[in-house]
């Protein structure tokens, strides 16, 4: 995809990469996140955010937060029904190759919650349990109990 409005020197910019992947809508959403969480919150934004891959211990993360509360009722009646129609529409779309279905927000969490309920606990990878045991020994606390 050709990136209109960006020159060759911006190829490493995070928003440019998002634009290439998500088009103008993805770029616009990313820019809104930068605006709300960075600019509006008085925190770092875009290229000024420290890297997670190579953390600079001398640089404070200074990550902003943004929370919004909306009352859907002030926008019109029938929000719950319209939202359910939207979710049903997306779940009914044809999934991409190799996927069982199209997921909407909350679907993976509901699947994981069901797994936890059926197994009687939260499933953790064996390496995580091992590492937490090592940490417990180091901190001189009881290790996590497991359901064996």
């Amino acid at each position: 995809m050709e990136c209109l409005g960006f020159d060759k020197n911006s190829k490493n910019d995070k928003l440019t990469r998002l634009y290439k992947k998500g088009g103008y809508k993805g770029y616009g959403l990313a820019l809104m996140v930068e605006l709300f969480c960075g600019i509006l919150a008085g925190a770092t934004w875009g290229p000024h955010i420290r890297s997670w891959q190579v953390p600079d211990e001398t640089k404070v993360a200074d990550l902003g937060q943004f929370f919004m509360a909306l009352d859907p009722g002030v926008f019109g009646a029938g929000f719950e029904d319209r939202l359910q129609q939207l979710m049903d529409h997306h779940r009914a779309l044809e999934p991409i190759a190799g996927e069982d279905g199209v997921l909407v927000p909350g679907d993976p969490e509901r699947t994981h919650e069901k797994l936890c309920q059926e197994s009687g606990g939260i499933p953790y990878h064996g390496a995580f349990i091992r590492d937490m045991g090592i940490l417990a020994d180091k901190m001189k606390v009881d290790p996590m109990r497991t359901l064996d």
Side-chain angles (χ1 to χ4, degrees), residues 20-66:
K20 288 179 181 179
K21 291 180 180 179
Y24 73 94
K25 288 183 181 180
Y27 173 78
L29 288 171
L31 199 53
M32 282 178 41
V33 170
E34 293 287 358
L35 171 67
F36 289 141
C37 295
I39 304 298
L40 188 63
T44 54
W45 54 273
H48 307 290
I49 297 173
R50 75 175 191 192
S51 172
W52 291 103
Q53 286 81 16
V54 184
D56 179 354
E57 299 299 330
T58 65
K59 189 174 179 183
V60 175
D62 190 26
L63 301 177
Q65 303 290 319
F66 176 79

Side-chain angles (χ1 to χ4, degrees), residues 82-101:
R82 291 193 323 271
L83 177 60
Q84 188 61 57
Q85 289 173 6
L86 175 67
M87 299 298 106
D88 293 344
H89 170 77
H90 282 273
R91 286 185 182 116
L93 293 171
E94 184 177 338
I96 61 172
E99 295 295 328
D100 294 330

Side-chain angles (χ1 to χ4, degrees), residues 2 4 10 26 35 45 49 58 75 102 114 118 121 130 145:
E2 195 64 33
L4 304 175
S10 64
L35 171 67
W45 54 273
I49 297 173
T58 65
F75 295 97
V102 175
K114 183 179 177 185
E118 290 172 354
R130 179 199 66 224
R145 289 177 283 139

Side-chain angles (χ1 to χ4, degrees), residues 60-129:
V60 175
D62 190 26
L63 301 177
Q65 303 290 319
F66 176 79
F67 301 92
M68 181 185 310
L70 296 173
D71 178 0
V74 301
F75 295 97
F79 170 78
E80 290 84 4
D81 291 336
R82 291 193 323 271
L83 177 60
Q84 188 61 57
Q85 289 173 6
L86 175 67
M87 299 298 106
D88 293 344
H89 170 77
H90 282 273
R91 286 185 182 116
L93 293 171
E94 184 177 338
I96 61 172
E99 295 295 328
D100 294 330
V102 175
L103 302 178
V104 297
D107 284 349
E109 292 80 7
R110 280 185 284 282
T111 299
H112 185 71
E113 183 178 352
K114 183 179 177 185
L115 172 68
C116 293
Q117 289 172 347
E118 290 172 354
S119 65
I122 301 171
Y124 288 106
H125 191 277
F128 179 79
I129 299 294

